[in-house]
Amino acid sequence: MTAATLALDVRGLWKIFGPSGRNGANAIVGTPLAQLPPAELRRQTGCLVAVRDISFSVGRNEVFVVMGLSGSGKSTLVRCLTRLVEPTAGTVLLDGEDMGAADARRLRELRRHRFAMVFQNFGLLPHRRVIDNVAYGLEVRGTGRDERHARAREVLDLVGLTGHEDSYPDQLSGGMQQRVGLGRALAVDPEVLFFDEPFSALDPLIRRDMQNEVIRLHREVGKTMVFITHDLHEALRLGDRILIMRDGEMVQLGRPDEVVGAPADDYVRDFVADVPRSHVLTLSWVMRPAASDDPLDGPELPPDMIVRDAARLVLSASAPVRVVRHGELLGVVDSEAILRVIVAEDAGPAADEAVPSQRSSVLGR
């Protein structure tokens, strides 16, 4: 990514909880103490490393998901990005601006105009109507009542709450309340939306509806989104890229197909063991080089097409499907390749490991 395409750039971010000073949190970064296992570091210093030397970039209009189990540091990370928690060390650039250098006044301006957060706890004002909850950020900015209500009605329509303007939060279901929270974040037209496990408290069906809502809104409004979750399936559904954390560290960063197709270690491999590979892997993972005797008059598909979506066409084609990008033939996919993925899913992880990936031979990886 170039600087012009970056919404967020994070470099060497640390958050250490514990006493500060010469022997405390501020003295750990850059010393041998920083390399100690978490339990030993806590024994020696009384400090806990919640975020350990994490670096990544988020492109404009990207949905960037941070995933990990409870205690992995993901929520602390997003709070460091917005300075709800002060990082111990590192740099966070929002559209090139150093968040760490912002004084209290500038930080308030950034929160009012440049980014917004959606939390698991809806945080709605119970004594205010839905329209006033959605317009609250604009009210804080000093926007006039008529203007902020007009904007709030636009957003309520966008999040599917038209007709509920005069309702109060306790008159709404959990899913509808979260839509209000989402509308409140969108109303200020932020550059970046931060989501901290916003759907964790919702019932499974409502949660899926809200995931669909995020996908739809991203398609319609095109915001940069940083989404925190402990749910792998949610991460795979929403993320353009996924950062997986464990014990405050980054374990893997990649596209959903990279996380499922090439897990970085056993920790990630266990995470993705039950994921249907045909729902995530793209044709680039199952294609092979075209052989000299392959008929090349078959259908043409892009390399980033999901295997499941391509299966019907590949299985019904009389010749291998050509995988083409920008007019260049990258490889071919035949019925055997599709069936290998499907059979591996049905047989479980052991069979999947017994089926070697063809991607490395085609892409040199």
Side-chain angles (χ1 to χ4, degrees):
M1 298 180 191
T2 65
T5 63
L6 285 182
L8 197 65
D9 194 19
V10 180
R11 290 289 170 263
L13 194 67
W14 290 76
K15 178 57 188 177
I16 304 174
F17 291 102
S20 59
R22 179 177 299 178
N23 299 315
N26 297 339
I28 291 175
V29 178
T31 73
L33 287 172
Q35 308 305 317
L36 292 176
E40 180 63 18
L41 178 68
R42 194 164 192 172
R43 188 187 69 80
Q44 291 192 27
T45 67
C47 294
L48 172 66
V49 179
V51 175
R52 182 188 293 268
D53 195 18
I54 286 186
S55 300
F56 62 89
S57 299
V58 181
R60 297 187 190 280
N61 302 329
E62 181 179 14
V63 180
F64 187 90
V65 174
V66 181
M67 198 208 84
L69 298 178
S70 178
S72 64
K74 58 189 184 299
S75 290
T76 301
L77 172 63
V78 75
R79 283 167 166 75
C80 287
L81 301 182
T82 57
R83 280 187 61 192
L84 292 175
V85 169
E86 290 291 341
T88 303
T91 304
V92 178
L93 301 179
L94 177 67
D95 195 22
E97 180 173 355
D98 187 351
M99 291 280 291
D103 59 20
R105 180 177 179 180
R106 178 56 182 160
L107 192 56
R108 285 195 298 271
E109 290 299 307
L110 290 171
R111 290 172 176 165
R112 290 174 180 175
H113 297 275
R114 303 284 295 281
F115 63 85
M117 289 199 69
V118 181
F119 297 95
Q120 177 181 340
N121 184 342
F122 311 138
L124 304 182
L125 302 173
H127 61 290
R128 290 197 170 198
R129 299 174 303 161
V130 165
I131 191 169
D132 294 310
N133 269 280
V134 170
Y136 182 71
L138 297 172
E139 182 180 349
V140 171
R141 279 188 189 176
T143 305
R145 184 177 185 274
D146 290 345
E147 183 180 347
R148 67 176 184 260
H149 276 192
R151 172 60 180 164
R153 288 190 178 91
E154 291 177 3
V155 173
L156 285 169
D157 182 58
L158 187 64
V159 299
L161 286 176
T162 298
H164 294 279
E165 295 88 345
D166 295 324
S167 299
Y168 286 87
D170 63 1
Q171 297 174 310
L172 304 179
S173 67
M176 294 173 74
Q177 289 183 35
Q178 191 57 285
R179 287 174 186 264
V180 177
L182 182 56
R184 181 176 55 193
L186 288 170
V188 297
D189 195 25
E191 296 173 23
V192 182
L193 277 165
F194 294 96
F195 296 83
D196 189 9
E197 300 203 63
F199 309 144
S200 295
L202 301 178
D203 293 336
L205 290 179
I206 298 175
R207 181 172 186 158
R208 186 174 181 86
D209 286 343
M210 290 305 300
Q211 292 168 2
N212 290 336
E213 193 70 12
V214 168
I215 293 169
R216 180 185 67 82
L217 288 171
H218 182 257
R219 185 169 58 246
E220 293 186 11
V221 302
K223 297 293 182 184
T224 303
M225 298 180 178
V226 178
F227 197 101
I228 308 300
T229 184
H230 66 268
D231 187 306
L232 175 64
H233 294 281
E234 186 167 75
L236 295 173
R237 286 198 75 205
L238 299 179
D240 294 316
R241 286 187 299 148
I242 301 170
L243 185 157
I244 298 179
M245 293 184 66
R246 177 184 58 202
D247 296 332
E249 296 185 88
M250 181 172 69
V251 180
Q252 185 166 1
L253 171 60
R255 299 187 311 271
D257 62 304
E258 292 173 331
V259 171
V260 172
D265 60 13
D266 289 341
Y267 178 77
V268 181
R269 191 171 292 107
D270 288 342
F271 253 125
V272 304
D274 296 326
V275 174
R277 293 167 64 89
S278 66
H279 293 207
V280 181
L281 296 185
T282 61
L283 293 182
S284 62
W285 287 90
V286 299
M287 66 186 183
R288 60 171 174 78
S292 58
D293 58 347
D294 277 329
L296 297 180
D297 56 349
E300 181 179 303
L301 292 175
D304 57 354
M305 190 171 190
I306 301 297
V307 168
R308 179 185 59 176
D309 297 335
R312 183 184 297 269
L313 178 59
V314 175
L315 293 174
S316 63
S318 58
V321 167
R322 293 172 295 145
V323 182
V324 176
R325 179 172 54 203
H326 305 312
E328 178 187 359
L329 178 65
L330 302 179
V332 297
V333 176
D334 52 27
S335 298
E336 180 184 355
I338 298 296
L339 292 173
R340 283 160 65 91
V341 176
I342 296 173
V343 169
E345 287 177 356
D346 292 340
D352 186 57
E353 291 176 4
V355 180
S357 170
Q358 297 169 322
R359 181 180 171 91
S360 60
S361 63
V362 178
L363 299 184
R365 294 182 52 169

